[in-house]
Amino acid sequence: MREVTRATLEALLADLAGRGVRPCNLYLVAGTSQLLEGWCDRVPQVELAAGPSPDARHLAAAAREAATAAEVELVWESPADVIPLPDGWEGRNRATDLDWPAGSGRFTLLHFDPYSVALRLITRGDASDYAVTLRYLEHGWLTLEGLDAVAAEVLPRFTGAAIGQDPAEFRRKYKGLRQMWRAGAVIGP
């Protein structure tokens, strides 16, 4: 598998659009959003998710085929697969500069709600997850105050069974992220 550049991502999306998917929302998630926005030059994998649709499984299968053809790794996961989503997440999805015409049987390409993505990334808590979250903050797609609010909203719904960790572990990871942001952590390309 090779790293993903914006050109690779655009070619994969064009291939996917040509695979006869029905009209639906296709979400870019985490680093894939940031790649399309030009905040980084490459990412290790393509991260995508589908909106609620009876054809979501077909879209996922078509995305896997397109990723295999492009020789890139695909992570097909919505933040909703891992964490309870905060209220209003749908209204925080962001438009992209690439939009496929829904009338031709293709998808509408959106960035998944950055707050939901950040909560999911903090839950995992790898160094690369912190870097993606810090980049969202750096580019104004998140504010610390907004992140505090959505974390406070969803944290009571976190359970070890739902997210695979104790809510106290999330609090510890979130505190670390806040300290990194306040210290002006360098997040690299």
Side-chain angles (χ1 to χ4, degrees):
M1 295 292 162
R2 60 188 174 128
E3 288 187 312
V4 182
T5 63
R6 180 172 170 140
T8 307
L9 176 61
E10 288 183 16
L12 183 146
L13 293 170
D15 179 8
L16 179 56
R19 290 179 183 265
V21 296
R22 294 203 175 140
C24 62
N25 289 340
L26 177 66
Y27 295 101
L28 301 175
V29 182
T32 305
S33 285
Q34 296 178 0
L35 176 67
L36 187 66
E37 291 298 310
W39 302 351
C40 55
D41 295 332
R42 58 193 72 249
V43 293
Q45 66 221 359
V46 174
E47 297 177 70
L48 301 173
S53 165
D55 296 311
R57 278 188 287 204
H58 172 70
L59 180 60
R64 285 185 191 94
E65 291 171 5
T68 298
E71 299 178 339
V72 298
E73 184 178 344
L74 172 68
V75 174
W76 186 268
E77 179 187 88
S78 165
D81 296 337
V82 182
I83 62 163
L85 295 179
D87 292 337
W89 71 271
E90 300 98 333
R92 289 187 301 268
N93 294 324
R94 300 176 71 105
T96 67
D97 65 352
L98 294 177
D99 193 26
W100 308 99
S104 65
R106 298 183 182 166
F107 46 83
T108 300
L109 191 63
L110 300 165
H111 297 288
F112 204 97
D113 166 34
Y115 285 94
S116 298
V117 173
L119 292 176
R120 191 278 175 262
L121 295 173
I122 295 165
T123 299
R124 188 169 49 206
D126 294 336
S128 61
D129 297 327
Y130 288 135
V132 169
T133 304
L134 291 168
R135 207 173 289 119
Y136 276 135
L137 285 161
E138 178 183 274
H139 288 275
W141 281 29
L142 299 175
T143 65
L144 205 51
E145 296 76 18
L147 197 52
D148 288 345
V150 296
E153 175 200 332
V154 300
L155 196 55
R157 294 187 272 154
F158 277 22
T159 65
I163 65 169
Q165 71 179 213
D166 185 303
E169 181 70 7
F170 176 86
R171 286 185 192 94
R172 183 189 65 74
K173 291 175 180 178
Y174 185 52
K175 181 179 178 182
L177 175 86
R178 290 176 56 82
Q179 290 170 340
M180 292 171 70
W181 176 246
R182 290 210 166 118
V186 177
I187 56 177

